[in-house]
Each structure stands twice: as structure tokens, then as C-alpha cells.
Amino acid sequence: MKSVKVRDHMLSKRHAIPDQTALTDAVRLLGEFKLTGLPVIDSSEQVVGFLSEQDCIKHILESSYHWDEVVMVNEVMRRDVLSVKPDDSVVDVASRMVTDKPKIYPVCEDGKLMGVVTRAK
């Protein structure tokens, strides 16, 4: 089982949010993909952050009196991203999901997003 790699189970790299996306659009994407969080990428597809439902809800609650203000993903996202590599063992990643907080990991090679792996898929 250790020989099963992340690349065999990851979702495509389309499961990401560009850093210049409005937070309202990002919330729509999270719902569309049925995921609780997504990596945030810049224009060169480098992972620059991670946005979770919890981050969105927290910010929306805090700014509920300022609806005229457009908030961008890069203002809300977390910049400390835990990621995995395509050749990492699925078993090792599953172990990390048990102990670490993220349940969705960006799959990166040289900082570039290759896809995402989740505990659900």
C-alpha cells in the first residue's frame, strides 16, 4: 500500500482559486467543487496560500456591515500552506490528515500546483 502515490488519487489542478479572485466568487467555487478549502495560486500557478470555508465565514461575519467593499482572496487566505508531492505515499498523507489540521492538501512540484488530494476523494 505504501507504493500507492498521491498522483494516482489527486484531483486536477483546476481545483484552485486565483489570488485575485473576489471572496464572494471563491465561496461559490468552494460550493461548486464541494470542498471545504482550496489552494490559492498566482498567475504562474505557484501556490501562494490556502482558503478554507472557515476563513471565508470568519471574514464575512467580521465585515457584514461593509457590504459595499469588495474583498479579495489574497486579503483573507492563509499564507502558511502545508502541501504534499505527487510521489508521496497515500498512506503517509493519510497519516498526516489524522494528526494535522488540513484535510485537503495542495499537491505541488517545485512550488507549482499539480492538483489537490482530499480525504474524501
Side-chain angles (χ1 to χ4, degrees):
M1 186 73 172
K2 273 241 189 224
S3 63
V4 178
K5 303 295 180 195
V6 166
R7 75 172 63 252
D8 300 323
H9 294 280
M10 68 184 190
L11 299 172
S12 71
K13 68 179 178 183
R14 78 175 181 91
H15 291 83
I17 302 171
D19 61 347
Q20 294 299 313
T21 302
L23 188 60
T24 53
D25 293 335
V27 169
R28 181 185 53 76
L29 285 172
L30 288 170
E32 180 182 315
F33 294 142
K34 295 179 175 52
L35 294 171
T36 58
L38 288 170
V40 179
I41 56 172
D42 63 15
S43 59
S44 62
E45 296 188 0
Q46 296 286 317
V47 175
V48 294
F50 192 87
L51 184 72
S52 71
E53 283 179 331
Q54 185 175 352
D55 299 329
C56 295
I57 291 168
K58 179 182 175 194
H59 188 78
I60 289 169
L61 287 173
E62 289 173 354
S63 65
S64 62
Y65 294 106
H66 306 286
W67 285 106
D68 55 335
E69 179 182 310
V70 175
V71 177
M72 304 305 282
V73 166
N74 62 359
E75 298 173 52
V76 179
M77 70 184 189
R78 295 174 184 222
R79 296 182 191 280
D80 56 331
V81 181
L82 298 175
S83 63
V84 297
K85 295 179 180 167
D87 289 325
D88 286 351
S89 162
V90 169
V91 173
D92 292 342
V93 174
S95 295
R96 286 179 68 181
M97 287 181 177
V98 170
T99 58
D100 294 340
K101 189 173 181 177
K103 305 304 179 208
I104 300 171
Y105 284 88
V107 181
C108 300
E109 200 159 55
D110 299 323
K112 191 169 237 175
L113 184 66
M114 307 303 289
V116 295
V117 65
T118 75
R119 66 179 172 175
K121 300 199 190 269

